[in-house]
Amino acid sequence: MTPPRSVLRFVEWRLHPDLEPDAEPVTYAMQCAVCEEQSTPTVDFADAQRWTFRHAGRNPTHHTYREHLIRPWHAHP
């Protein structure tokens, strides 16, 4: 009989936001759904929000926006 060459182990994995001090920062950007112009990604949501108000002020018919959020996550068994 041939001995086994590998051992399989099934484990449950967990996923949660990475809140460690060395984690990448959460970044925000806003995008106009009308013309698809987008703000620069920033760690301060207020900056992205200000971009939206400036864009809406310059383009009075652009009322719809999308938030692009990048949040670091951590997976572990």
Side-chain angles (χ1 to χ4, degrees):
M1 178 175 230
T2 307
R5 294 180 184 215
S6 63
V7 176
L8 297 177
R9 185 179 119 196
F10 295 95
V11 297
E12 277 191 37
W13 282 74
R14 300 190 191 288
L15 183 65
H16 59 85
D18 191 347
L19 303 175
E20 295 297 319
D22 63 344
E24 294 179 24
V26 175
T27 58
Y28 308 90
M30 295 299 284
Q31 181 182 36
C32 177
V34 177
C35 70
E36 300 196 357
E37 190 174 333
Q38 181 174 315
S39 69
T40 303
T42 178
V43 296
D44 186 355
F45 179 73
D47 291 338
Q49 189 178 44
R50 278 190 287 276
W51 176 89
T52 305
F53 295 141
R54 280 194 309 273
H55 186 80
R58 292 181 186 128
N59 302 279
T61 61
H62 296 197
H63 299 180
T64 309
Y65 294 85
R66 300 179 189 109
E67 177 187 26
H68 293 270
L69 171 73
I70 298 175
R71 180 184 314 279
W73 287 77
H74 182 77
H76 61 91

